[in-house]
Amino acid sequence: MAVKLLLDKAHIEGIRYYDTWRKNGGYTAVEKALKMTPDEIVEEVKKSGLRGRGGAGFPTGMKWSFLAKPEGVPRHLVCNADESEPGTFKDRYLMEFIPHLLIEGLIISSFALGSSATYIYIRGEYAWIPDILEEAIAEAKANGWLGKNILGTGFDCEIYVQRGGGAYICGEETALIESLEGKRGNPRLKPPFPAVQGLWMRPTVVNNVETLAAVVPIINMGGEEYGKIGVGRSTGTKLISACGNINKPGVYEINFDLSVEEFIYSDEYCGGIPNGKRLKACIPGGSSVPIVPANLLFKTAKGETRYMNYESLSDGGFATGTMLGSGGFIVLDEDQCVVRHTMSLAHFYNHESCGQCSPCREGTGWMYKILKNIEYGKGKMSDIDLLWDIQRRIEGNTICPLGDAAAWPVAAAIRHFRDEFEWHVLNPEESQTRNYGIAHYADPREVVA
Amino acid sequence: MKFSQEKLNKVNEIIARYPEGKQKSALIPLLHIAQEEFGGWLDVPVMDYVAELLHINPIEVYEVATFYTMFNMKPVGKYVLEVCQTGPCMLRGSDQIIDHIKNKLGIQAGETTPDGLFTLKPAECLGACGYAPMMQLGKFFKENLTIEKVDALIEDLKAAAKN
């Protein structure tokens, strides 16, 4: 039986509201945490092995312990709710349906980090969600969980919600901070890191929604117990937002010992692929992570079963593996064209590049134009090598990881689906009327049968 | 041009969320309110007014307003259909939805119908990939779109505009 730590109460009628949340064990974690010292809370989070759920997977406890604490300088916790990675919609689910879980996590984390003014930076397009969050904050405040001298501890805390203006780049923590300061979302050069000079040049921790929500079960059960759930360095549970060509798109809480095959085909999760179609490829961690063909998805190159966790998904590196990333799980069936899909993603990154670093600003545009030519039957064979060359020159040469995020999907598409690109070039007319199909990346289920 | 007293109270409440002297942080929230209040887009006098409210230079508002895609720099229709066109929506037929809207309304991406009712604004990933294809309409999302649902939506909006 799969363990649920975040969505265990999601099915309860009215769980969005304080009274129901409280009746079902809500705010016990805050009660417990506020009797501990801030350092003890940080220690529990360290012991839990929790890794940042926004995509990078950096250990949260370690990030917290980097926070500078100069005398007399206020510190801030900022919740990154700028969920914009294509394929990812898990934080939206948490905020929309179980907002008090996040609020509870924010109160505990604010206490642990010493933040008396905590900000939730939410993507502007989630325009109706700030109302839900602000209602939950007001309820928490009315019941004494926020405001002045919370539970008699002398700790004051306010949580504010701020909407962004529609920019993927603001999910990068320093761009988010710039945006929160009322500026363009241009990422900052690091160092200094936000832990030393962040929001208004004050020490700041920026954490993803799901990460902060996970602090609640960690406090309730203890860091050590939380750390026992999972596999190796993938501890706890993970929300996966599944989309694309599957029968049951949606948000699922998974355990890290779940196989990728079961996740796609089990009725408990994605429920298989519609219309009896075969599986062609998958992007398991949001659009930035490498696409993998079906034959490398269920088994690693070494022939071992692939599981839904950080280590197993990245087994084989970028040559034959991918990443868990943000958990934005995108499935492509046999009718999908990898060239067209890659072109769509290239357009996305070109549109979302902030324009600060030339390799990304120019390179993303070149990649999109070349992909468009290939997709529409105007490509040359040399274009494929040119694409490869451009992505290689973007990766690692920009201030923030948007450059890498734009390069990886193109690199992986060429690495695994080069024949499909070549077919487009060699068959400019035919490629306009039909798709390449599934070719050698056979559906592993079919091979077995 | 001026916000109503109610909106001004909201503005002051937002500014109070930030430390003394950091009122510039309220810029993006204020631009959202201004766009809603003054016709769905940000004309230069509107941006100058926001600059005045925050005691910052107009250029600081212009550079921010032009950076974020949610702020319209030219007039838009009464209803802006922001249809997501990114990968996950594309896999579930967003191309067909966008083409259908273009044909039905006789406009291209970024254009507004002559009656000023509809603007088609293809958008990049809006975080509803599991409920694709989808569009943003004002504050809310319209999800799991089909050609029939789009037709019904457009008819509903036309009817609503008449009343």
Side-chain angles (χ1 to χ4, degrees):
Chain A
M1 187 61 195
V3 184
K4 284 194 179 178
L5 303 176
L6 301 175
L7 303 187
D8 54 333
K9 296 175 194 136
H11 62 283
I12 300 170
E13 178 85 25
I15 200 68
R16 208 181 108 180
Y17 301 102
Y18 176 80
D19 290 341
T20 315
W21 180 255
R22 178 70 174 144
K23 254 181 247 153
N24 286 280
Y27 289 93
T28 51
V30 177
E31 284 175 309
K32 191 173 169 187
L34 265 57
K35 288 186 189 122
M36 299 161 69
T37 66
D39 287 345
E40 281 167 359
I41 299 174
V42 176
E43 203 47 46
E44 289 303 314
V45 173
K46 271 191 185 167
K47 270 192 252 170
S48 75
L50 175 66
R51 293 166 69 177
R53 301 295 196 229
F58 190 81
T60 306
M62 201 185 291
K63 191 173 189 176
W64 284 12
S65 63
F66 292 154
L67 185 67
K69 293 176 180 167
E71 201 57 43
V73 182
R75 303 185 285 274
H76 293 285
L77 169 65
V78 176
C79 171
N80 185 347
D82 191 61
E83 182 170 60
S84 309
E85 173 84 3
T88 317
F89 48 99
K90 63 185 178 66
D91 296 338
R92 168 189 167 185
Y93 186 92
L94 274 182
M95 295 186 285
E96 200 172 354
F97 300 110
I98 21 182
H100 280 286
L101 179 66
L102 174 62
I103 304 303
E104 211 178 326
L106 281 168
I107 298 168
I108 299 165
S109 308
S110 298
F111 178 68
L113 299 167
S115 167
S116 288
T118 291
Y119 297 89
I120 302 174
Y121 181 95
I122 184 167
R123 66 175 301 178
E125 293 91 340
Y126 287 171
W128 69 99
I129 298 180
D131 295 345
I132 297 171
L133 292 171
E134 278 169 356
E135 192 184 344
I137 291 166
E139 284 182 317
K141 201 170 171 177
N143 287 282
W145 306 104
L146 277 170
K148 297 263 177 230
N149 190 21
I150 303 167
L151 303 186
T153 53
F155 173 62
D156 302 339
C157 185
E158 296 288 347
I159 299 174
Y160 303 106
V161 185
Q162 170 149 342
R163 275 175 77 197
Y168 170 72
I169 190 63
C170 292
E172 195 277 340
E173 59 180 10
T174 60
L176 188 154
I177 288 170
E178 287 283 302
S179 184
L180 199 46
E181 292 184 359
K183 301 174 193 158
R184 295 165 73 93
N186 288 344
R188 293 178 183 170
L189 271 172
K190 293 165 281 272
F193 288 92
V196 179
Q197 288 184 328
L199 183 60
W200 305 305
M201 299 316 252
R202 299 167 174 180
T204 304
V205 167
V206 182
N207 282 141
N208 171 260
V209 170
E210 186 189 346
T211 311
L212 291 163
V215 171
V216 176
I218 289 171
I219 293 301
N220 272 329
M221 69 200 302
E224 211 168 303
E225 284 305 304
Y226 183 94
K228 285 178 191 162
I229 301 166
V231 182
R233 288 182 58 236
S234 300
T235 61
T237 61
K238 176 86 187 84
L239 295 184
I240 303 289
S241 56
C243 62
N245 305 120
I246 48 174
N247 279 316
K248 291 171 60 196
V251 178
Y252 299 99
E253 181 168 9
I254 59 127
N255 290 181
F256 288 120
D257 59 357
L258 179 70
S259 75
V260 179
E261 182 170 8
E262 193 183 345
F263 183 67
I264 293 183
Y265 286 101
S266 156
D267 281 335
E268 200 182 329
Y269 302 103
C270 302
I273 296 165
N275 308 319
K277 299 281 183 191
R278 295 176 299 171
L279 174 70
K280 179 169 181 176
C282 177
I283 304 172
S287 65
S288 306
V289 312
I291 187 171
V292 280
N295 61 331
L296 286 171
L297 187 60
F298 297 158
K299 295 244 185 274
T300 65
K302 287 178 281 185
E304 290 162 1
T305 303
R306 217 188 267 285
Y307 294 97
M308 299 285 289
N309 63 50
Y310 292 98
E311 289 75 23
S312 184
L313 280 170
S314 56
D315 186 282
F318 278 9
T320 57
T322 175
M323 286 166 79
L324 178 63
S326 63
F329 195 90
I330 310 168
V331 175
L332 282 71
D333 73 18
E334 61 183 299
D335 289 346
Q336 303 302 334
C337 171
V338 168
V339 177
R340 188 168 182 80
H341 192 257
T342 309
M343 175 190 82
S344 162
L345 296 183
H347 183 269
F348 172 84
Y349 291 106
N350 182 218
H351 184 265
E352 300 301 337
S353 172
C354 80
Q356 197 172 205
C357 313
S358 9
C360 172
R361 179 187 62 238
E362 306 300 327
T364 53
W366 296 341
M367 291 198 300
Y368 169 62
K369 283 177 195 153
I370 295 167
L371 281 160
K372 198 173 161 191
N373 277 343
I374 298 174
E375 163 65 10
Y376 288 103
K378 293 173 197 146
K380 299 192 292 278
M381 220 39 133
S382 60
D383 283 344
I384 304 172
D385 292 327
L386 184 58
L387 266 179
W388 183 267
D389 190 51
I390 295 170
Q391 66 79 18
R392 202 173 53 82
R393 287 164 196 268
I394 298 174
E395 187 190 5
N397 291 318
T398 53
I399 291 175
C400 88
L402 193 143
D404 302 343
W408 294 344
V410 173
I414 298 175
R415 185 181 299 121
H416 297 300
F417 299 91
R418 193 181 175 103
D419 51 342
E420 192 162 341
F421 285 82
E422 289 175 354
W423 178 77
H424 271 258
V425 172
L426 294 171
N427 302 280
E429 276 161 32
E430 195 186 354
S431 66
Q432 301 309 298
T433 55
R434 76 170 184 93
N435 279 332
Y436 184 65
I438 203 158
H440 69 275
Y441 2 94
D443 186 332
R445 293 210 151 198
E446 203 165 74
V447 176
V448 173
Chain B
M1 167 194 328
K2 212 171 170 318
F3 282 137
S4 64
Q5 193 54 47
E6 186 202 343
K7 291 290 169 197
L8 279 175
N9 293 343
K10 182 76 191 165
V11 166
N12 289 329
E13 184 207 312
I14 293 171
I15 292 173
R17 295 171 183 177
Y18 311 102
E20 194 73 33
K22 306 294 182 193
Q23 76 283 358
K24 187 178 171 178
S25 284
L27 178 53
I28 293 170
L30 258 59
L31 288 175
H32 278 300
I33 299 176
Q35 181 160 287
E36 255 172 55
E37 286 294 292
F38 303 119
W41 69 293
L42 297 172
D43 199 357
V44 172
V46 173
M47 293 191 280
D48 291 348
Y49 174 58
V50 170
E52 197 187 306
L53 284 174
L54 290 174
H55 310 291
I56 55 178
N57 293 313
I59 185 69
E60 294 176 81
V61 180
Y62 307 158
E63 64 172 8
V64 166
T66 53
F67 183 86
Y68 295 95
T69 50
M70 289 184 77
F71 300 122
N72 298 314
M73 291 294 112
K74 54 179 192 178
V76 291
K78 186 174 170 71
Y79 303 110
V80 184
L81 310 178
E82 297 178 61
V83 188
C84 176
Q85 61 180 358
T86 313
C89 271
M90 200 193 79
L91 295 175
R92 295 180 79 94
S94 61
D95 288 350
Q96 288 88 316
I97 298 286
I98 292 172
D99 286 346
H100 180 71
I101 295 175
K102 283 181 184 170
N103 289 332
K104 191 175 171 77
L105 298 178
I107 51 173
Q108 291 303 308
E111 292 179 354
T112 301
T113 51
D115 59 6
L117 269 189
F118 298 101
T119 300
L120 173 62
K121 187 178 169 185
E124 295 299 340
C125 188
L126 294 171
C129 318
Y131 325 106
M134 62 78 66
M135 70 163 91
Q136 178 144 34
L137 180 66
K139 191 173 178 179
F140 298 100
F141 287 179
K142 301 284 174 190
E143 299 174 330
N144 298 309
L145 292 178
T146 58
I147 301 286
E148 294 73 30
K149 277 192 194 174
V150 169
D151 285 342
L153 178 68
I154 289 175
E155 293 313 315
D156 286 352
L157 293 174
K158 278 184 184 167
K162 271 187 199 148
N163 297 326

